[in-house]
Amino acid sequence: MTALAQDRTVAVVGTGTMGQGIAQVALVAGHPVRLYDSAPGRAGEAVAGLTARLDRLVEKGRMDAAAREAAVGRLHAAEELGELADAALVVEAIVEHLPVKQQLFADLEKVVGDDTVLATNTSSLSVTAIAGGLRLPGRFVGLHFFNPAPLLPLVEVVSGFATGADVATRAYETMKSWGKTPVRCADTPGFIVNRVARPFYAEALRVYEEGAADPATIDAALRECGGFRMGPFELTDLIGQDVNEAVTRSVWESFYQDPKFTPSLAQRRLVESGRLGRKSGHGWFSYAEGAERPEPHTAPPAEAPEKIVVRGDLGPAEPLVGLFEEAGIKVRRKGGGGFVVLPGGGRLGLADGETSFEYHGDDIIYFDLALDYASASRIVLSTSEQTPAEVLAEAVGLFQALGKQVSVIGDVPGMIVARTVAMLADLAADAVDRGVATAEDVDTAMRLGVNYPVGPLEWAGKVGHERVRDLLLSLHERYPTGRYAPSLATSRRGYAEEGRDS
């Protein structure tokens, strides 16, 4: 099936921020749009609000006056549900409460034609469950827009258990015609984005709960080393701690308390204390007027070593070798297991899920994974408390010679970026192999839905699926709860890569 014709009416039920945003997208795409809300007078207010939005677009030069006039002429408020009878598509954006949504669609089915596509914008409820009581559940689909809908390109097109393939295709093609980037996915808890994204928050919270680093330092590591636009603590403050924790808890419960999705006790306590983030004036950070943001831990200047030995291939960190040489550090290469030997005898290696204190008698310092070591402005190190200060100083000075700021955190397995990327890749691979979505759609969803620098599967390919698997196995050995046990999907990719390299 093709996209809805422009002359077909689109109805939006629910006139909050998301409802108005979806209506704006449909309106600008050329459709007649009707807005309905069960609260008397709310639809008329939404039409006025949406008209004001169009006026602002004209003022900013993003829409011409003629297009604005035409759009306003196609926009109408509906005071009764029956006024939506001729809609070809009805999108619901009301409260996230299953019985309320089910009742709405039961009422809609009595009004609209049998060929009308019914869609929900739910982000947390089962599309299948919402459609469960309908006479024609095959014409029901999920259209999960991201806020703000007019600006963010991603739409998850969610097929419930009974959704017809032709209906899903029509919804997908309609989203494309609206200028969106749709991705197809099955009806699974969290769909793509809210399912795969859980480790971005969970691993940061775990590192914090273990006392390895403070929120500001963890955020800096993921921004300045990992290439993420925002760190998880500042991002959850923006989202709202209550909202983020509720989504995490919903996904965890929907997966029958799978340990991979276990919520954070630290975040629960933050919510219980009323520190919900920006909207309450305090979350992980204070947003009171004049409040200063905590600075990430940054090591003081240290002298760089004149020479180092690189034993073997450093894998994803191999570009560091050229950067060391460009900085005037003499590099001698020898065979070995992939690590750097410092003049003082310390060994510097890429985070692999092990800890420094396990190596009795050896001075082991780990450095974290980076998206791009050349452009990364910060490098994170971890080591045991027994590591001599002079050995750690050599490692700090080595990276400072590259123009990097250096943060030293506690001796935590997998550090920050490496364990986060490995877990994101694991959940992404598992989703693909379970038929939730294609690898391309998963990566697209994570880049566009939550602004990841690259998709998790693309990143796993660069790091190496074998390395991802081994890092998770090491984490699983140290945290034997099942949280870090690599999925069959990750194991399959890792062993396949290992076989190709042997």
Side-chain angles (χ1 to χ4, degrees):
M1 296 180 73
T2 57
L4 292 178
Q6 274 192 347
D7 62 353
R8 299 300 303 277
T9 297
V10 173
V12 178
V13 179
T15 58
T17 301
M18 184 58 78
Q20 289 190 43
I22 296 170
Q24 179 178 332
V25 174
L27 194 63
V28 171
H31 292 275
V33 172
R34 288 199 183 93
L35 277 168
Y36 171 79
D37 198 293
S38 59
R42 192 72 60 81
E45 294 173 3
V47 166
L50 189 46
T51 301
R53 289 191 190 190
L54 299 180
D55 290 340
R56 287 193 292 272
L57 291 178
V58 173
E59 292 171 3
K60 294 177 180 178
R62 298 176 184 172
M63 189 179 203
D64 62 52
R68 180 264 182 204
E69 289 302 317
V72 171
R74 297 192 303 271
L75 178 62
H76 302 282
E79 296 301 327
E80 300 291 339
L81 207 60
E83 296 178 51
L84 310 185
D86 65 339
L89 168 65
V90 181
V91 184
E92 163 271 317
I94 63 173
V95 63
E96 288 286 89
H97 190 47
L98 181 59
V100 176
K101 290 182 187 288
Q102 289 174 324
Q103 185 60 57
L104 168 67
F105 284 107
D107 293 339
L108 277 168
E109 209 171 27
K110 299 172 185 175
V111 171
V112 300
D114 286 357
D115 62 343
T116 299
V117 175
L118 301 179
T120 175
N121 182 56
T122 186
S123 61
S124 61
L125 299 176
S126 164
V127 171
T128 301
I130 298 172
L134 294 181
R135 178 172 54 86
L136 298 172
R139 45 97 163 262
F140 192 86
V141 68
L143 290 177
H144 181 214
F145 290 78
F146 288 74
N147 194 25
L151 298 180
L152 295 186
L154 184 70
V155 178
E156 292 176 319
V157 180
V158 186
S159 291
F161 187 78
T163 303
D166 57 341
V167 172
T169 297
R170 168 154 287 184
Y172 182 91
E173 294 299 331
T174 298
M175 293 303 100
K176 285 179 65 176
S177 74
W178 290 6
K180 294 299 182 183
T181 303
V183 293
R184 299 176 185 265
C185 64
D187 185 18
T188 183
F191 308 142
I192 300 174
V193 173
N194 280 331
R195 172 181 177 152
V196 176
R198 294 348 292 165
F200 182 70
Y201 314 107
E203 294 312 306
L205 288 161
R206 186 67 179 261
V207 170
Y208 166 77
E209 289 173 333
E210 293 186 14
D214 60 276
T217 300
I218 296 171
D219 276 357
L222 285 158
R223 280 196 321 268
E224 301 170 32
C225 189
F228 292 91
R229 185 168 298 183
M230 295 181 73
F233 292 96
E234 58 186 343
L235 180 55
T236 52
D237 268 358
L238 178 63
I239 294 169
Q241 297 300 331
D242 53 340
V243 174
N244 182 260
E245 201 261 353
V247 172
T248 298
R249 185 170 297 277
S250 173
V251 172
W252 175 62
E253 291 173 349
S254 296
F255 278 111
Y256 302 102
Q257 301 185 356
D258 186 326
K260 288 184 180 290
F261 300 100
T262 301
S264 162
L265 180 59
Q267 189 176 36
R268 174 96 292 257
R269 293 291 179 260
L270 199 69
V271 172
E272 290 173 340
S273 72
R275 293 190 171 190
L276 306 182
R278 289 180 178 271
K279 63 185 178 184
S280 69
H282 205 303
W284 293 109
F285 307 110
S286 174
Y287 300 92
E289 186 175 352
E292 294 185 8
R293 284 285 292 274
E295 292 293 326
H297 168 78
T298 302
E303 187 175 348
E306 294 182 358
K307 58 184 179 180
I308 57 173
V309 175
V310 176
R311 301 194 69 100
D313 192 300
L314 299 183
E318 183 65 21
L320 282 171
V321 177
L323 297 176
F324 292 145
E325 291 174 329
E326 290 175 11
I329 296 168
K330 296 179 181 178
V331 177
R332 184 182 178 189
R333 304 212 66 153
K334 290 186 176 182
F339 55 89
V340 175
V341 181
L342 299 167
R347 200 171 83 185
L348 187 62
L350 178 61
D352 59 6
E354 298 183 4
T355 56
S356 297
F357 70 77
E358 299 172 47
Y359 293 86
H360 301 290
D362 293 328
D363 297 325
I364 306 295
I365 300 172
Y366 283 106
F367 62 92
D368 211 346
L369 180 68
L371 176 65
D372 177 12
Y373 284 101
S375 62
S377 59
R378 184 176 298 271
I379 296 293
V380 182
L381 306 178
S382 74
T383 191
S384 72
E385 295 179 354
Q386 286 70 45
T387 300
E390 58 271 20
V391 174
L392 178 58
E394 285 185 334
V396 170
L398 177 65
F399 286 105
Q400 287 177 339
L402 307 183
K404 317 293 187 187
Q405 292 185 306
V406 178
S407 294
V408 180
I409 66 171
D411 192 12
V412 60
M415 301 189 67
I416 299 171
V417 180
R419 70 193 286 172
T420 299
V421 169
M423 285 294 285
L424 289 170
D426 185 59
L427 292 192
D430 183 62
V432 170
D433 280 22
R434 289 179 183 271
V436 173
T438 66
E440 181 182 2
D441 277 356
V442 168
D443 276 354
T444 296
M446 301 313 292
R447 284 189 297 100
L448 299 183
V450 277
N451 289 314
Y452 284 3
V454 294
L457 290 169
E458 180 185 351
W459 204 340
K462 293 179 179 179
V463 171
H465 296 287
E466 182 181 354
R467 185 180 293 270
V468 169
R469 178 204 64 192
D470 290 348
L471 190 148
L472 290 173
L473 285 171
S474 292
L475 287 168
H476 178 54
E477 183 179 346
R478 287 152 186 81
Y479 305 101
T481 63
R483 177 185 180 118
Y484 298 104
S487 66
L488 183 61
T490 293
S491 296
R492 184 182 293 115
R493 286 164 172 77
Y495 285 110
E497 187 174 85
E498 187 177 3
R500 289 194 298 270
D501 295 340
S502 63

